Amino acid sequence: MSDKVLYSGKTRTTGRKDGASKSADGFLDIKLPEPHPAAENLFGAAWSACYIGALELSAQQKKVKLPESPRVDAEIDLLRGDSGFFLRARFNVQIPGIDRATAEELTELAHQVCPYSKAVHGNIEVQTNVVEAEPVLV
């Protein structure tokens, strides 16, 4: 089977005080006067959006009907250690209407399906928490 391109995201990003990032299709158009925290927030948003798709696909594969869309609160940490800069991630996943054991199974399967999870596998520490109540973003 040959690889088939499903979508190509195309962006142009500029730096410094007038920094910005814009996608070729116009969907994304954001000012980036500081590279951080913008990079971590954008990465968290992109990864968690992909991860939700992977959760929904995992549910279909397991023949689990999701009564509502899953929610993911992603936290991406930029750290500096002896070896330089690195990332760490935490996902708080809520899958309403699904028992905890099934939700945990789906979150594990989603990490095997999600292209972003595959891309960072073994490169950064990722903690996934299945939460019952909707977490509060601070």
Side-chain angles (χ1 to χ4, degrees), residues 69-122:
S69 177
R71 291 185 277 279
V72 177
D73 290 333
E75 298 176 46
I76 307 298
D77 298 325
L78 173 65
L79 300 111
R80 184 174 184 178
D82 294 337
S83 62
F85 297 100
F86 62 99
L87 298 175
R88 178 176 56 203
R90 282 177 306 288
F91 277 16
N92 291 314
V93 181
Q94 183 183 22
I95 308 176
I98 301 297
D99 66 89
R100 185 174 194 82
T102 302
E104 289 174 351
E105 180 182 7
L106 294 176
T107 59
E108 290 303 315
L109 185 55
H111 271 300
Q112 296 170 24
V113 173
C114 176
Y116 280 74
S117 295
K118 288 179 184 180
V120 302
H121 182 76

Short mmCIF file of all heavy atoms in Angstrom, two decimals, residues 69-122:
data_model
loop_
_atom_site.label_atom_id
_atom_site.label_comp_id
_atom_site.label_asym_id
_atom_site.label_seq_id
_atom_site.Cartn_x
_atom_site.Cartn_y
_atom_site.Cartn_z
N SER A 69 -18.84 14.31 22.61
CA SER A 69 -17.46 14.41 22.16
C SER A 69 -16.50 14.40 23.35
O SER A 69 -16.79 15.02 24.37
CB SER A 69 -17.26 15.69 21.35
OG SER A 69 -15.91 15.81 20.97
N PRO A 70 -15.38 13.72 23.22
CA PRO A 70 -14.36 13.78 24.27
C PRO A 70 -13.81 15.20 24.41
O PRO A 70 -13.91 16.00 23.48
CB PRO A 70 -13.27 12.83 23.77
CG PRO A 70 -13.90 12.01 22.71
CD PRO A 70 -15.01 12.83 22.13
N ARG A 71 -13.24 15.48 25.57
CA ARG A 71 -12.57 16.76 25.80
C ARG A 71 -11.17 16.47 26.31
O ARG A 71 -10.98 15.56 27.12
CB ARG A 71 -13.34 17.58 26.84
CG ARG A 71 -14.68 18.07 26.32
CD ARG A 71 -15.37 18.98 27.29
NE ARG A 71 -16.10 18.29 28.34
CZ ARG A 71 -17.34 17.79 28.18
NH1 ARG A 71 -17.95 17.89 27.04
NH2 ARG A 71 -17.95 17.20 29.18
N VAL A 72 -10.22 17.26 25.84
CA VAL A 72 -8.83 17.09 26.25
C VAL A 72 -8.26 18.43 26.66
O VAL A 72 -8.29 19.38 25.89
CB VAL A 72 -7.97 16.49 25.11
CG1 VAL A 72 -6.51 16.37 25.54
CG2 VAL A 72 -8.49 15.12 24.67
N ASP A 73 -7.77 18.51 27.89
CA ASP A 73 -7.01 19.66 28.35
C ASP A 73 -5.54 19.26 28.27
O ASP A 73 -5.10 18.35 28.98
CB ASP A 73 -7.37 20.04 29.78
CG ASP A 73 -8.77 20.62 29.90
OD1 ASP A 73 -9.26 21.19 28.91
OD2 ASP A 73 -9.36 20.49 30.98
N ALA A 74 -4.81 19.91 27.37
CA ALA A 74 -3.39 19.61 27.19
C ALA A 74 -2.55 20.65 27.90
O ALA A 74 -2.83 21.85 27.83
CB ALA A 74 -3.06 19.58 25.70
N GLU A 75 -1.52 20.18 28.57
CA GLU A 75 -0.54 21.05 29.20
C GLU A 75 0.82 20.68 28.63
O GLU A 75 1.26 19.53 28.76
CB GLU A 75 -0.52 20.86 30.71
CG GLU A 75 -1.84 21.21 31.38
CD GLU A 75 -1.82 20.92 32.87
OE1 GLU A 75 -0.82 21.28 33.54
OE2 GLU A 75 -2.78 20.31 33.35
N ILE A 76 1.46 21.62 27.97
CA ILE A 76 2.77 21.39 27.38
C ILE A 76 3.77 22.25 28.15
O ILE A 76 3.65 23.48 28.18
CB ILE A 76 2.82 21.76 25.88
CG1 ILE A 76 1.69 21.07 25.10
CG2 ILE A 76 4.19 21.46 25.29
CD1 ILE A 76 1.74 19.56 25.09
N ASP A 77 4.74 21.61 28.79
CA ASP A 77 5.76 22.31 29.56
C ASP A 77 7.04 22.42 28.75
O ASP A 77 7.47 21.44 28.13
CB ASP A 77 6.10 21.54 30.85
CG ASP A 77 4.92 21.39 31.79
OD1 ASP A 77 4.10 22.32 31.85
OD2 ASP A 77 4.85 20.34 32.47
N LEU A 78 7.63 23.59 28.75
CA LEU A 78 8.97 23.79 28.21
C LEU A 78 9.91 23.79 29.40
O LEU A 78 9.72 24.58 30.34
CB LEU A 78 9.06 25.12 27.45
CG LEU A 78 10.46 25.53 26.99
CD1 LEU A 78 10.99 24.54 25.95
CD2 LEU A 78 10.43 26.94 26.43
N LEU A 79 10.87 22.91 29.38
CA LEU A 79 11.80 22.78 30.50
C LEU A 79 13.24 22.98 30.01
O LEU A 79 13.51 22.82 28.81
CB LEU A 79 11.68 21.39 31.14
CG LEU A 79 10.30 21.05 31.68
CD1 LEU A 79 9.65 19.99 30.83
CD2 LEU A 79 10.39 20.63 33.10
N ARG A 80 14.10 23.29 30.94
CA ARG A 80 15.52 23.38 30.64
C ARG A 80 16.26 22.56 31.67
O ARG A 80 16.08 22.74 32.88
CB ARG A 80 15.99 24.83 30.68
CG ARG A 80 17.43 24.98 30.28
CD ARG A 80 17.82 26.42 30.20
NE ARG A 80 19.18 26.52 29.71
CZ ARG A 80 19.78 27.65 29.50
NH1 ARG A 80 19.16 28.79 29.73
NH2 ARG A 80 21.01 27.67 29.05
N GLY A 81 17.07 21.65 31.19
CA GLY A 81 17.84 20.78 32.07
C GLY A 81 19.30 20.79 31.66
O GLY A 81 19.72 21.62 30.83
N ASP A 82 20.05 19.85 32.20
CA ASP A 82 21.48 19.76 31.90
C ASP A 82 21.76 19.54 30.41
O ASP A 82 22.77 20.00 29.90
CB ASP A 82 22.11 18.62 32.71
CG ASP A 82 22.09 18.90 34.21
OD1 ASP A 82 22.01 20.09 34.59
OD2 ASP A 82 22.14 17.94 34.99
N SER A 83 20.83 18.87 29.74
CA SER A 83 21.03 18.57 28.31
C SER A 83 20.38 19.61 27.39
O SER A 83 20.34 19.42 26.19
CB SER A 83 20.50 17.18 27.99
OG SER A 83 19.11 17.11 28.24
N GLY A 84 19.85 20.69 27.96
CA GLY A 84 19.23 21.73 27.13
C GLY A 84 17.73 21.81 27.34
O GLY A 84 17.20 21.39 28.37
N PHE A 85 17.04 22.31 26.32
CA PHE A 85 15.60 22.49 26.39
C PHE A 85 14.88 21.21 25.99
O PHE A 85 15.34 20.47 25.12
CB PHE A 85 15.15 23.62 25.45
CG PHE A 85 15.71 24.96 25.83
CD1 PHE A 85 16.80 25.48 25.17
CD2 PHE A 85 15.13 25.70 26.86
CE1 PHE A 85 17.32 26.72 25.52
CE2 PHE A 85 15.63 26.93 27.22
CZ PHE A 85 16.75 27.44 26.55
N PHE A 86 13.72 20.96 26.62
CA PHE A 86 12.91 19.81 26.25
C PHE A 86 11.47 20.05 26.67
O PHE A 86 11.17 20.99 27.39
CB PHE A 86 13.47 18.51 26.85
CG PHE A 86 13.51 18.47 28.36
CD1 PHE A 86 12.52 17.81 29.08
CD2 PHE A 86 14.54 19.08 29.06
CE1 PHE A 86 12.55 17.76 30.46
CE2 PHE A 86 14.58 19.04 30.45
CZ PHE A 86 13.59 18.38 31.15
N LEU A 87 10.58 19.19 26.18
CA LEU A 87 9.15 19.31 26.45
C LEU A 87 8.65 18.16 27.31
O LEU A 87 9.22 17.08 27.32
CB LEU A 87 8.35 19.31 25.13
CG LEU A 87 8.63 20.44 24.16
CD1 LEU A 87 7.86 20.21 22.86
CD2 LEU A 87 8.27 21.78 24.76
N ARG A 88 7.54 18.43 27.99
CA ARG A 88 6.81 17.41 28.75
C ARG A 88 5.33 17.72 28.54
O ARG A 88 4.95 18.88 28.43
CB ARG A 88 7.19 17.50 30.23
CG ARG A 88 6.45 16.52 31.11
CD ARG A 88 6.93 16.57 32.54
NE ARG A 88 6.82 17.92 33.08
CZ ARG A 88 7.54 18.37 34.10
NH1 ARG A 88 8.44 17.62 34.69
NH2 ARG A 88 7.36 19.61 34.54
N ALA A 89 4.50 16.67 28.50
CA ALA A 89 3.07 16.88 28.22
C ALA A 89 2.20 16.13 29.22
O ALA A 89 2.56 15.04 29.67
CB ALA A 89 2.75 16.43 26.81
N ARG A 90 1.06 16.75 29.52
CA ARG A 90 0.02 16.11 30.32
C ARG A 90 -1.30 16.30 29.60
O ARG A 90 -1.61 17.41 29.15
CB ARG A 90 -0.07 16.75 31.72
CG ARG A 90 0.99 16.31 32.66
CD ARG A 90 0.91 17.02 34.01
NE ARG A 90 0.90 18.48 33.92
CZ ARG A 90 1.95 19.24 33.60
NH1 ARG A 90 3.10 18.69 33.31
NH2 ARG A 90 1.84 20.56 33.57
N PHE A 91 -2.05 15.23 29.48
CA PHE A 91 -3.39 15.28 28.90
C PHE A 91 -4.38 14.88 29.97
O PHE A 91 -4.28 13.81 30.56
CB PHE A 91 -3.52 14.27 27.73
CG PHE A 91 -3.01 14.75 26.41
CD1 PHE A 91 -2.18 15.84 26.29
CD2 PHE A 91 -3.35 14.06 25.26
CE1 PHE A 91 -1.72 16.27 25.06
CE2 PHE A 91 -2.89 14.48 24.03
CZ PHE A 91 -2.08 15.58 23.93
N ASN A 92 -5.35 15.75 30.24
CA ASN A 92 -6.49 15.41 31.10
C ASN A 92 -7.66 15.16 30.15
O ASN A 92 -8.13 16.07 29.49
CB ASN A 92 -6.79 16.54 32.08
CG ASN A 92 -5.68 16.67 33.11
OD1 ASN A 92 -5.24 15.69 33.67
ND2 ASN A 92 -5.22 17.88 33.33
N VAL A 93 -8.07 13.89 30.08
CA VAL A 93 -9.05 13.45 29.10
C VAL A 93 -10.38 13.15 29.79
O VAL A 93 -10.42 12.43 30.79
CB VAL A 93 -8.56 12.17 28.37
CG1 VAL A 93 -9.55 11.71 27.34
CG2 VAL A 93 -7.19 12.41 27.75
N GLN A 94 -11.43 13.72 29.24
CA GLN A 94 -12.77 13.43 29.74
C GLN A 94 -13.59 12.86 28.58
O GLN A 94 -13.65 13.46 27.51
CB GLN A 94 -13.44 14.68 30.28
CG GLN A 94 -14.81 14.39 30.88
CD GLN A 94 -15.51 15.65 31.37
OE1 GLN A 94 -15.21 16.74 30.93
NE2 GLN A 94 -16.45 15.48 32.27
N ILE A 95 -14.17 11.69 28.82
CA ILE A 95 -15.04 11.06 27.82
C ILE A 95 -16.39 10.85 28.50
O ILE A 95 -16.63 9.82 29.14
CB ILE A 95 -14.45 9.73 27.30
CG1 ILE A 95 -13.01 9.93 26.83
CG2 ILE A 95 -15.33 9.19 26.17
CD1 ILE A 95 -12.31 8.67 26.38
N PRO A 96 -17.28 11.84 28.42
CA PRO A 96 -18.56 11.78 29.12
C PRO A 96 -19.40 10.57 28.72
O PRO A 96 -19.44 10.19 27.55
CB PRO A 96 -19.26 13.08 28.71
CG PRO A 96 -18.18 13.98 28.23
CD PRO A 96 -17.13 13.08 27.65
N GLY A 97 -20.04 9.97 29.71
CA GLY A 97 -20.97 8.87 29.45
C GLY A 97 -20.31 7.51 29.25
O GLY A 97 -20.97 6.55 28.89
N ILE A 98 -19.02 7.43 29.48
CA ILE A 98 -18.28 6.17 29.30
C ILE A 98 -17.65 5.79 30.64
O ILE A 98 -17.09 6.65 31.34
CB ILE A 98 -17.16 6.34 28.23
CG1 ILE A 98 -17.75 6.75 26.89
CG2 ILE A 98 -16.31 5.08 28.09
CD1 ILE A 98 -18.68 5.74 26.26
N ASP A 99 -17.70 4.51 31.00
CA ASP A 99 -17.11 4.08 32.26
C ASP A 99 -15.59 4.25 32.21
O ASP A 99 -14.98 4.28 31.16
CB ASP A 99 -17.50 2.62 32.58
CG ASP A 99 -16.91 1.65 31.59
OD1 ASP A 99 -15.78 1.17 31.82
OD2 ASP A 99 -17.57 1.37 30.55
N ARG A 100 -14.99 4.37 33.38
CA ARG A 100 -13.56 4.68 33.50
C ARG A 100 -12.67 3.65 32.80
O ARG A 100 -11.72 4.02 32.11
CB ARG A 100 -13.16 4.82 34.96
CG ARG A 100 -11.72 5.25 35.14
CD ARG A 100 -11.40 5.52 36.62
NE ARG A 100 -10.15 6.22 36.72
CZ ARG A 100 -10.00 7.53 36.56
NH1 ARG A 100 -11.03 8.29 36.31
NH2 ARG A 100 -8.81 8.09 36.67
N ALA A 101 -12.94 2.38 32.97
CA ALA A 101 -12.10 1.34 32.36
C ALA A 101 -12.11 1.46 30.83
O ALA A 101 -11.06 1.37 30.19
CB ALA A 101 -12.56 -0.05 32.79
N THR A 102 -13.27 1.69 30.26
CA THR A 102 -13.38 1.85 28.80
C THR A 102 -12.67 3.13 28.37
O THR A 102 -11.95 3.15 27.36
CB THR A 102 -14.85 1.87 28.36
OG1 THR A 102 -15.47 0.65 28.78
CG2 THR A 102 -14.98 2.02 26.85
N ALA A 103 -12.84 4.20 29.14
CA ALA A 103 -12.18 5.47 28.82
C ALA A 103 -10.67 5.31 28.84
O ALA A 103 -9.97 5.81 27.95
CB ALA A 103 -12.62 6.56 29.79
N GLU A 104 -10.14 4.61 29.82
CA GLU A 104 -8.69 4.37 29.90
C GLU A 104 -8.21 3.54 28.72
O GLU A 104 -7.15 3.81 28.15
CB GLU A 104 -8.33 3.71 31.23
CG GLU A 104 -8.46 4.68 32.40
CD GLU A 104 -8.26 4.04 33.76
OE1 GLU A 104 -8.18 2.79 33.84
OE2 GLU A 104 -8.20 4.79 34.75
N GLU A 105 -8.99 2.53 28.33
CA GLU A 105 -8.63 1.72 27.17
C GLU A 105 -8.60 2.56 25.89
O GLU A 105 -7.69 2.46 25.08
CB GLU A 105 -9.63 0.56 27.01
CG GLU A 105 -9.33 -0.34 25.84
CD GLU A 105 -10.36 -1.46 25.66
OE1 GLU A 105 -11.39 -1.46 26.38
OE2 GLU A 105 -10.13 -2.31 24.79
N LEU A 106 -9.59 3.42 25.74
CA LEU A 106 -9.65 4.28 24.55
C LEU A 106 -8.50 5.29 24.52
O LEU A 106 -7.95 5.57 23.46
CB LEU A 106 -11.00 5.01 24.46
CG LEU A 106 -12.22 4.13 24.23
CD1 LEU A 106 -13.49 4.97 24.26
CD2 LEU A 106 -12.11 3.36 22.92
N THR A 107 -8.13 5.83 25.68
CA THR A 107 -7.02 6.79 25.71
C THR A 107 -5.70 6.12 25.34
O THR A 107 -4.88 6.72 24.64
CB THR A 107 -6.88 7.50 27.08
OG1 THR A 107 -6.66 6.54 28.09
CG2 THR A 107 -8.10 8.33 27.39
N GLU A 108 -5.50 4.90 25.78
CA GLU A 108 -4.28 4.17 25.41
C GLU A 108 -4.25 3.86 23.92
O GLU A 108 -3.23 4.03 23.25
CB GLU A 108 -4.15 2.89 26.24
CG GLU A 108 -3.85 3.13 27.69
CD GLU A 108 -2.57 3.92 27.91
OE1 GLU A 108 -1.55 3.64 27.25
OE2 GLU A 108 -2.61 4.86 28.74
N LEU A 109 -5.37 3.41 23.39
CA LEU A 109 -5.47 3.11 21.97
C LEU A 109 -5.28 4.37 21.14
O LEU A 109 -4.62 4.36 20.09
CB LEU A 109 -6.81 2.45 21.65
CG LEU A 109 -7.03 1.97 20.22
CD1 LEU A 109 -5.92 1.02 19.77
CD2 LEU A 109 -8.38 1.29 20.09
N ALA A 110 -5.81 5.49 21.61
CA ALA A 110 -5.68 6.76 20.88
C ALA A 110 -4.22 7.15 20.72
O ALA A 110 -3.82 7.68 19.67
CB ALA A 110 -6.46 7.86 21.58
N HIS A 111 -3.39 6.90 21.73
CA HIS A 111 -1.96 7.22 21.61
C HIS A 111 -1.27 6.37 20.54
O HIS A 111 -0.28 6.79 19.96
CB HIS A 111 -1.25 7.05 22.96
CG HIS A 111 -1.26 8.29 23.78
ND1 HIS A 111 -0.71 9.48 23.37
CD2 HIS A 111 -1.76 8.53 25.01
CE1 HIS A 111 -0.87 10.39 24.31
NE2 HIS A 111 -1.53 9.84 25.31
N GLN A 112 -1.80 5.19 20.29
CA GLN A 112 -1.23 4.34 19.23
C GLN A 112 -1.69 4.79 17.85
O GLN A 112 -1.04 4.51 16.85
CB GLN A 112 -1.63 2.89 19.47
CG GLN A 112 -1.08 2.32 20.76
CD GLN A 112 -1.68 0.96 21.08
OE1 GLN A 112 -2.15 0.24 20.21
NE2 GLN A 112 -1.67 0.59 22.35
N VAL A 113 -2.82 5.50 17.78
CA VAL A 113 -3.42 5.93 16.51
C VAL A 113 -3.02 7.35 16.13
O VAL A 113 -2.77 7.65 14.97
CB VAL A 113 -4.97 5.82 16.61
CG1 VAL A 113 -5.65 6.41 15.40
CG2 VAL A 113 -5.39 4.36 16.80
N CYS A 114 -2.94 8.24 17.10
CA CYS A 114 -2.72 9.67 16.86
C CYS A 114 -1.34 9.93 16.26
O CYS A 114 -0.32 9.56 16.84
CB CYS A 114 -2.86 10.44 18.18
SG CYS A 114 -2.48 12.20 18.04
N PRO A 115 -1.28 10.57 15.08
CA PRO A 115 0.02 10.87 14.46
C PRO A 115 0.93 11.75 15.33
O PRO A 115 2.14 11.58 15.32
CB PRO A 115 -0.36 11.59 13.17
CG PRO A 115 -1.74 11.11 12.85
CD PRO A 115 -2.39 10.91 14.19
N TYR A 116 0.36 12.68 16.08
CA TYR A 116 1.18 13.52 16.97
C TYR A 116 1.78 12.67 18.09
O TYR A 116 2.96 12.82 18.43
CB TYR A 116 0.36 14.65 17.58
CG TYR A 116 0.15 15.82 16.67
CD1 TYR A 116 -0.73 15.76 15.60
CD2 TYR A 116 0.83 17.02 16.87
CE1 TYR A 116 -0.93 16.84 14.76
CE2 TYR A 116 0.65 18.10 16.03
CZ TYR A 116 -0.23 18.02 14.98
OH TYR A 116 -0.43 19.09 14.15
N SER A 117 0.99 11.78 18.67
CA SER A 117 1.50 10.90 19.72
C SER A 117 2.61 10.00 19.18
O SER A 117 3.62 9.78 19.85
CB SER A 117 0.37 10.05 20.31
OG SER A 117 -0.58 10.86 20.95
N LYS A 118 2.42 9.52 17.96
CA LYS A 118 3.46 8.69 17.33
C LYS A 118 4.73 9.50 17.11
O LYS A 118 5.84 9.00 17.30
CB LYS A 118 2.97 8.15 15.99
CG LYS A 118 1.92 7.08 16.09
CD LYS A 118 1.51 6.66 14.69
CE LYS A 118 0.40 5.66 14.68
NZ LYS A 118 0.03 5.27 13.30
N ALA A 119 4.58 10.76 16.71
CA ALA A 119 5.73 11.60 16.40
C ALA A 119 6.59 11.87 17.63
O ALA A 119 7.81 11.97 17.52
CB ALA A 119 5.27 12.92 15.78
N VAL A 120 5.98 12.00 18.80
CA VAL A 120 6.74 12.32 20.00
C VAL A 120 7.06 11.10 20.85
O VAL A 120 7.78 11.20 21.84
CB VAL A 120 6.01 13.38 20.87
CG1 VAL A 120 5.77 14.65 20.08
CG2 VAL A 120 4.72 12.84 21.45
N HIS A 121 6.56 9.93 20.45
CA HIS A 121 6.75 8.70 21.24
C HIS A 121 8.24 8.46 21.51
O HIS A 121 9.05 8.41 20.61
CB HIS A 121 6.14 7.49 20.52
CG HIS A 121 6.27 6.23 21.31
ND1 HIS A 121 5.48 5.96 22.39
CD2 HIS A 121 7.12 5.18 21.18
CE1 HIS A 121 5.83 4.80 22.89
NE2 HIS A 121 6.82 4.31 22.19
N GLY A 122 8.57 8.34 22.78
CA GLY A 122 9.95 8.10 23.17
C GLY A 122 10.80 9.35 23.22
O GLY A 122 11.96 9.30 23.62
#
